[in-house]
Amino acid sequence: MAETPPTGPDFSKGDGLLPAIAQDMTTGEVLMLAYMNQESYQETLQTKRAVYYSRSRQRLWRKGEESGHVQEVAAVFYDCDCDAILLKVNQVGQAACHTGRRSCFFHEVTPDGTRVVGPQIFDPREVYGSH
Amino acid sequence: MAETPPTGPDFSKGDGLLPAIAQDMTTGEVLMLAYMNQESYQETLQTKRAVYYSRSRQRLWRKGEESGHVQEVAAVFYDCDCDAILLKVNQVGQAACHTGRRSCFFHEVTPDGTRVVGPQIFDPREVYGSH
């Protein structure tokens, strides 16, 4: 069955913002989920570093711009509906999360409530200062 | 540093819908991204099968209800901002995508355009009928 694949993610969906998953290219660990607009997606492809769109700050967010913990992008995928993005990355500094943990998904749901998993790799007060 | 973890994902963010990633619990492959509301999240925890909220159909979407390809949920995580969910699943039938592929992320972005990766595991016409 011949298929003509689409040309790329469709940013007309989701009010111009699509969710983007960053996955460790070596371990397969899911590091974080953030959002991209067309501009951040294009810059990601061009620079091979993950660039997101910060919904809270309403501007491009070059991951690691403050901490130095950039994500080197090895491969980019998008899904069947063209409305979600998957990046395979090398996480410089080992930790993707602003809390100093490797993955942002460190809250595990258990019958007894939330369990915090994963050690802190860095102290956020040292990386980001006291703000 | 003592931390009191939050009680769960915060569905007041994102207009009541949060993105949920399904990851193969064995291979680490990212299978799909869909959305959950509070009700689908609670049913997922209770039944240990992935239940999403279909934005197009505007109703609960019990993954596999038509194809039989349910996702058995082994673990549930949520992220630092409490606005994204990660499921570790066993994908029954091997394929998560409605196109018959293992992962929905089968469009790889290359300098020459989109490349379709990953073989079809089932023929969607046989699983879903001709509609």
Side-chain angles (χ1 to χ4, degrees):
Chain A
M1 186 168 64
E3 294 175 89
T4 303
T7 55
D10 182 356
F11 288 94
S12 72
K13 297 182 175 182
D15 287 335
L17 292 182
L18 297 180
I21 304 159
Q23 182 181 30
D24 187 288
M25 60 181 282
T26 305
T27 66
E29 194 170 1
V30 172
L31 300 175
M32 57 181 281
L33 184 145
Y35 291 83
M36 286 187 169
N37 65 359
Q38 178 84 53
E39 186 182 1
S40 66
Y41 173 74
Q42 290 299 339
E43 188 172 315
T44 298
L45 294 184
Q46 283 158 14
T47 64
K48 296 191 191 309
R49 285 190 175 184
V51 180
Y52 302 103
Y53 182 84
S54 168
R55 296 180 301 171
S56 58
R57 288 172 282 178
Q58 298 200 322
R59 65 168 175 83
L60 289 195
W61 166 31
R62 294 174 179 90
K63 171 71 181 162
E65 60 191 348
E66 195 174 353
S67 64
H69 297 169
V70 301
Q71 293 175 337
E72 298 167 347
V73 176
V76 178
F77 301 84
Y78 59 96
D79 75 347
C80 50
D81 293 331
C82 305
D83 60 2
I85 296 164
L86 172 64
L87 308 177
K88 305 262 186 151
V89 305
N90 172 43
Q91 177 63 63
V92 172
Q94 301 302 320
C97 186
H98 72 286
T99 66
R101 291 186 181 81
R102 177 147 183 73
S103 166
C104 293
F105 291 94
F106 61 81
H107 294 125
E108 181 169 9
V109 180
T110 80
D112 301 322
T114 298
R115 188 167 71 99
V116 173
V117 296
Q120 278 191 309
I121 292 174
F122 66 77
D123 183 339
R125 289 170 300 187
E126 292 176 10
V127 170
Y128 299 103
S130 57
H131 62 281
Chain B
M1 187 168 62
E3 293 175 271
T4 303
T7 55
D10 182 357
F11 287 95
S12 72
K13 298 182 174 182
D15 288 334
L17 291 182
L18 298 180
I21 304 160
Q23 182 181 29
D24 187 288
M25 61 181 282
T26 306
T27 66
E29 194 169 3
V30 172
L31 299 174
M32 57 182 282
L33 183 145
Y35 291 84
M36 285 187 169
N37 64 1
Q38 178 84 52
E39 186 183 0
S40 66
Y41 174 74
Q42 290 299 341
E43 189 172 314
T44 298
L45 294 184
Q46 283 157 15
T47 64
K48 297 193 191 308
R49 285 189 176 186
V51 179
Y52 303 103
Y53 181 84
S54 168
R55 296 180 302 169
S56 58
R57 287 172 281 179
Q58 299 200 323
R59 65 168 176 84
L60 289 195
W61 166 29
R62 295 176 178 89
K63 172 69 180 162
E65 61 191 346
E66 196 173 353
S67 64
H69 297 170
V70 300
Q71 293 174 338
E72 298 167 348
V73 176
V76 178
F77 301 84
Y78 60 95
D79 74 348
C80 49
D81 293 331
C82 304
D83 61 2
I85 297 163
L86 172 63
L87 308 176
K88 305 261 185 153
V89 305
N90 173 41
Q91 176 63 62
V92 172
Q94 301 301 319
C97 186
H98 73 288
T99 65
R101 292 184 180 81
R102 178 148 180 74
S103 167
C104 293
F105 292 93
F106 61 81
H107 294 126
E108 181 170 9
V109 180
T110 81
D112 301 322
T114 298
R115 188 167 71 98
V116 173
V117 296
Q120 277 190 308
I121 291 175
F122 67 76
D123 182 339
R125 290 170 300 188
E126 291 177 10
V127 169
Y128 299 104
S130 57
H131 62 280

